Amino acid sequence: MKLLLVLAVAFAALSLAHGERFHFGATLTGAQAVPPVQSSGEGSGSFHYDDDDHVLHYDIVWEGIKNIKGAHIHGPARPGSTAGHVIEFKTDDDTDSLSGSVEVNKDIVQWLHNGLLYVNVHTEDHEEGELRGQIITTSHEFFASLRGEHQRPTPVNTDARGHATFKYDPDLRELRWEIDHDVDKPTMAHIHGPASDAETAGPLIVFDSPHSTIKGSKTLTDQQIGYLKTGLLYVNIHSEQHPDGAIRGQIRAEATSSGEQGTWFVLSVGLIMGAVAIGTLMLLAGVVGYQHYQRQKYSAILPEE
């Protein structure tokens, strides 16, 4: 019985050890190259990152270009700027697709989440890159954890906290939000951008009320959608004591559970249920056996009538 319980706990712990999966995409065009290229080629890329094994999986395809001289993931750089490559792919003149996985370090992971990586396909005619595409999240759900320590340029020492959830509807181009916080005497609340978590920017969306629960929605511009998908928006709650901002939280994409986590979760739950069932049967068998023993014991010592 003890062994079964130990095994059940071990498998449950193993299931929880598996991390989360984040999904990203890229659209490759000549117009995004720096400098821009007039190209009839186009391409796309899909990516997912599993934080339990620190591996980035990729599937990249393109067409309409020839004489491939290289393909890389570059960063850190925003659209319109350039950076050196951080991941190099093996290609030849006729390559038109890439598929595989690569282990990445914490810097690349940070750049990935902040929209600072891009795919670049180099050709004989355009050695600086003929097709380029920024790698951005494909998630439609986002969150923000609001703390005083996140304030910039000067962190705020406060016990106030907040949490925000967002859902983006790509068909309506609408962002919906619900924000809960416990800031004392709040005066204003906004979504600011564009800015990384180390920068500041002016407000882009002004909430009607800074009350402890804020709900609402807004149709986003193309520019604002780009900021959302590249981690350049943040929530800021202002107060009488801290007019420049009491608590702040960068808006980040939600993760989805990885397939491995789901498999281990099902297996561990099944094992736990099985262990409980077997343990129950063993307990019942013990009770029945004990009762049978007691009946035999007393029948042996009681005189026959």
Side-chain angles (χ1 to χ4, degrees):
M1 179 65 178
K2 288 183 178 179
L3 177 61
L4 288 171
L5 289 175
V6 169
L7 287 173
V9 171
F11 271 85
L14 185 59
S15 73
L16 294 175
H18 285 262
E20 295 176 307
R21 175 171 292 179
F22 298 84
H23 292 269
F24 304 86
T27 300
L28 280 63
T29 63
Q32 296 179 70
V34 179
V37 172
Q38 289 187 346
S39 174
S40 60
E42 60 182 6
S44 63
S46 62
F47 309 83
H48 68 261
Y49 169 71
D50 291 331
D51 68 359
D52 55 351
D53 55 9
H54 310 294
V55 169
L56 178 66
H57 302 260
Y58 56 87
D59 286 287
I60 307 168
V61 297
W62 59 80
E63 60 182 5
I65 58 176
K66 59 183 180 180
N67 298 325
I68 307 302
K69 293 304 177 185
H72 313 93
I73 291 178
H74 295 247
R78 294 287 178 195
S81 60
T82 62
H85 69 265
V86 294
I87 297 174
E88 182 174 5
F89 301 119
K90 184 178 180 180
T91 62
D92 56 39
D93 286 354
D94 300 321
T95 299
D96 60 4
S97 65
L98 300 165
S99 182
S101 61
V102 59
E103 188 171 351
V104 290
N105 61 37
K106 63 180 182 180
D107 289 332
I108 294 176
V109 173
Q110 186 68 34
W111 298 334
L112 177 66
H113 285 301
N114 289 339
L116 292 173
L117 298 179
Y118 63 92
V119 178
N120 207 8
V121 183
H122 309 261
T123 63
E124 188 175 277
D125 291 337
H126 300 283
E127 295 184 356
E128 296 300 316
E130 183 167 346
L131 297 180
R132 168 175 167 160
Q134 205 77 13
I135 301 175
I136 61 175
T137 181
T138 57
S139 176
H140 295 156
E141 296 187 359
F142 301 82
F143 76 98
S145 178
L146 281 68
R147 302 286 188 272
E149 63 207 56
H150 298 163
Q151 283 294 148
R152 297 293 182 270
T154 306
V156 172
N157 185 13
T158 176
D159 292 331
R161 296 288 186 270
H163 184 77
T165 56
F166 303 85
K167 290 188 177 182
Y168 172 66
D169 186 329
D171 296 325
L172 299 176
R173 302 164 61 90
E174 181 183 69
L175 182 68
R176 302 188 65 85
W177 57 80
E178 181 170 344
I179 304 167
D180 295 295
H181 69 87
D182 59 1
V183 172
D184 184 41
K185 297 180 180 179
T187 56
M188 297 181 293
H190 316 103
I191 292 177
H192 294 247
S196 69
D197 54 8
E199 302 169 322
T200 62
L204 293 178
I205 298 174
V206 179
F207 301 132
D208 293 334
S209 167
H211 293 166
S212 58
T213 297
I214 305 170
K215 296 182 181 181
S217 64
K218 181 177 175 61
T219 301
L220 301 183
T221 66
D222 286 341
Q223 190 177 58
Q224 290 170 342
I225 293 169
Y227 296 157
L228 175 68
K229 289 182 172 291
T230 54
L232 289 176
L233 297 179
Y234 64 91
V235 179
N236 211 4
I237 310 295
H238 307 258
S239 69
E240 291 183 6
Q241 185 178 2
H242 301 286
D244 292 332
I247 57 175
R248 164 180 167 161
Q250 205 76 11
I251 300 177
R252 303 191 184 281
E254 287 278 14
T256 58
S257 297
S258 69
E260 292 84 359
Q261 183 187 41
T263 300
W264 282 106
F265 180 76
V266 171
L267 287 174
S268 62
V269 169
L271 183 61
I272 292 171
M273 292 178 66
V276 171
I278 293 173
T280 302
L281 290 175
M282 292 175 65
L283 180 62
L284 290 174
V287 170
V288 172
Y290 179 75
Q291 290 176 339
H292 179 69
Y293 166 76
Q294 290 291 88
R295 284 196 299 269
Q296 286 186 326
K297 175 181 177 181
Y298 284 105
S299 64
I301 63 177
L302 290 175
E304 294 184 1
E305 297 183 356

